[in-house]
Amino acid sequence: MGVKGLHFHDLRHTGNTLAAQSGASLADLKARTGHDSDRAALIYQHATRDADQKIADALSARVEDERGSTMAARRPHRPE
């Protein structure tokens, strides 16, 4: 490739890791990489601090939505 220490497989791994981080499903990764096994495709799904924060934020938003729905359902309806 002309860059010392850089191999084609390094680029493949980076590309597929970025695909996984973009939200690609396991089935998407298997098709993209040509792997038949889940285990081989899971190599590209690295845990990241950014992903962990997004998951925590999504869970918090869901809890807040549920709290809001529950509170609205408990309020007595007052006809105007």
Side-chain angles (χ1 to χ4, degrees):
M1 295 201 34
V3 178
K4 188 176 181 176
L6 182 64
H7 305 93
F8 174 77
H9 194 270
D10 299 332
L11 297 175
R12 173 182 161 85
H13 187 83
T14 299
N16 288 317
T17 299
L18 293 173
Q21 289 174 349
S22 76
S25 68
L26 184 57
D28 295 331
L29 290 173
K30 286 170 64 174
R32 180 179 177 87
T33 60
H35 292 304
D36 291 330
S37 75
D38 291 352
R39 185 176 181 195
L42 284 171
I43 291 168
Y44 304 106
Q45 293 189 336
H46 302 283
T48 64
R49 212 176 278 210
D50 186 46
D52 191 44
Q53 187 61 54
K54 287 179 184 176
I55 293 166
D57 292 345
L59 291 172
S60 291
R62 188 165 181 177
V63 168
E64 290 303 317
D65 286 347
E66 287 296 321
R67 281 184 181 167
S69 297
T70 303
M71 293 303 288
R74 290 183 182 174
R75 289 188 197 118
H77 179 69
R78 296 182 185 158
E80 295 181 25

